[in-house]
Amino acid sequence: ARSRLPVGRARLRAPPSASRRAFLTRASADEDDASPIASPVEPISAAEGYASLGATLGAIRALPPSERAEAAEAATKRVSATLNGMKVAGATRRWDCYPSLQRRNVFPGEFSQMGIKDATTIGRPSDTNDFNFIVAVTLSTSFLALVVGATLPGDWGAFGSYLIGGMSLATLAVGSTAPGLLKVAIDRFARVNPEYRQRIAKHEAAHFLIGYMLGTPVAGYSLGLGTAHTDFLEAKLERKVYGRIAIKEETMLPLACISMAGGAAGGL
């Protein structure tokens, strides 16, 4: 998940008792984000539920990329119903366990109490990876140019030194004018650092966990090079967000928490 929203404005309430929610699930009443209504849910065993989820999500992943969004939208209610049934049976107790959120101010001291080491890093872009990449390119090309100039005879040594030394200048030029072209190279270089790999995993795991606990089914995730993301079905709104539509605060708060979960995890 790659979206970014302001942080620190939502608080999780304690979940209602299991007995009160055991056979109820929420559903949108209409297209205008009306108040939720309750409907009965039949228990689904863990084996049956996971088999159903695997078949549904597997069928989506097997489709061409251009067809996956439409298929995921069509499968939203089916996946949510399966997870709700598994929750009733006790197989997915953490699924949709915080259905209510309350908007309030959060003070810096509260972040440290929740385990966030440095709240100032939340949502703040870092150029550490860019700097390390530029330094590595400059030092490596300079050393290589020195070796070529000392070992190759005559004009070959001079030409090779200038050619290799110019690579660092070319890298600086591309980074200044079109930094996106270096994204894959910088990401690959940064993954040498275990701390960076852990930060990516924590970022995506936070999106995954908070989305799951707030009742938004996860369609898939990836930690691959340049493709780190978490995919969610459209269960929270059960419709696409486009055009001029009104969304109530109780519907928007979970989406904001899911969006900012990855940034908050970076401060842990």
Side-chain angles (χ1 to χ4, degrees):
R2 300 190 179 107
S3 56
R4 297 291 181 267
L5 291 175
V7 70
R9 301 286 297 180
R11 176 171 62 89
L12 298 178
R13 288 180 179 173
S17 63
S19 60
R20 185 163 66 87
R21 298 184 66 249
F23 295 95
L24 297 178
T25 186
R26 296 168 295 142
S28 296
D30 53 37
E31 289 289 325
D32 295 323
D33 199 29
S35 299
I37 58 176
S39 58
V41 177
E42 294 294 333
I44 299 176
S45 67
E48 180 184 357
Y50 285 125
S52 175
L53 293 174
T56 300
L57 298 179
I60 294 175
R61 288 193 293 268
L63 293 173
S66 60
E67 300 178 12
R68 290 175 187 171
E70 183 177 354
E73 181 181 0
T76 292
K77 292 185 178 181
R78 182 166 65 254
V79 171
S80 296
T82 300
L83 290 169
N84 287 331
M86 294 173 68
K87 181 178 178 68
V88 171
T92 55
R93 295 179 181 178
R94 294 295 181 184
W95 159 254
D96 199 13
C97 61
Y98 287 100
S100 299
L101 297 173
Q102 183 181 19
R103 182 183 177 92
R104 72 176 181 88
N105 292 324
V106 178
F107 297 97
E110 295 183 70
F111 286 111
S112 60
Q113 296 175 3
M114 292 184 290
I116 296 178
K117 299 175 182 177
D118 186 3
T120 61
T121 62
I122 298 177
R124 185 179 67 186
S126 173
D127 57 0
T128 302
N129 292 337
D130 298 354
F131 176 77
N132 292 339
F133 178 75
I134 293 298
V135 170
V137 170
T138 302
L139 293 178
S140 60
T141 54
S142 299
F143 177 76
L144 185 58
L146 180 62
V147 172
V148 169
T151 56
L152 292 182
D155 293 339
W156 286 104
F159 176 76
S161 297
Y162 282 115
L163 181 63
I164 296 173
M167 291 182 181
S168 58
L169 298 178
T171 301
L172 289 172
V174 172
S176 301
T177 57
L181 297 177
L182 299 177
K183 180 179 179 180
V184 174
I186 293 174
D187 191 36
R188 182 181 294 276
F189 176 79
R191 285 174 183 263
V192 175
N193 185 357
E195 182 180 351
Y196 179 70
R197 296 197 300 269
Q198 184 182 26
R199 187 162 73 246
I200 293 176
K202 287 167 61 176
H203 182 100
E204 299 306 329
H207 287 307
F208 192 113
L209 177 62
I210 298 302
Y212 180 82
M213 295 179 69
L214 292 179
T216 304
V218 179
Y221 71 94
S222 172
L223 299 178
L225 182 66
T227 61
H229 66 278
T230 303
D231 295 327
F232 293 96
L233 300 180
E234 298 174 8
K236 187 53 70 174
L237 287 179
E238 295 186 355
R239 55 192 168 97
K240 291 184 179 296
V241 181
Y242 61 89
R244 299 179 62 182
I245 62 174
I247 301 177
K248 292 185 177 180
E249 182 174 286
E250 57 265 30
T251 302
M252 181 56 66
L253 286 179
L255 300 178
C257 288
I258 294 171
S259 177
M260 282 306 305
L268 295 175

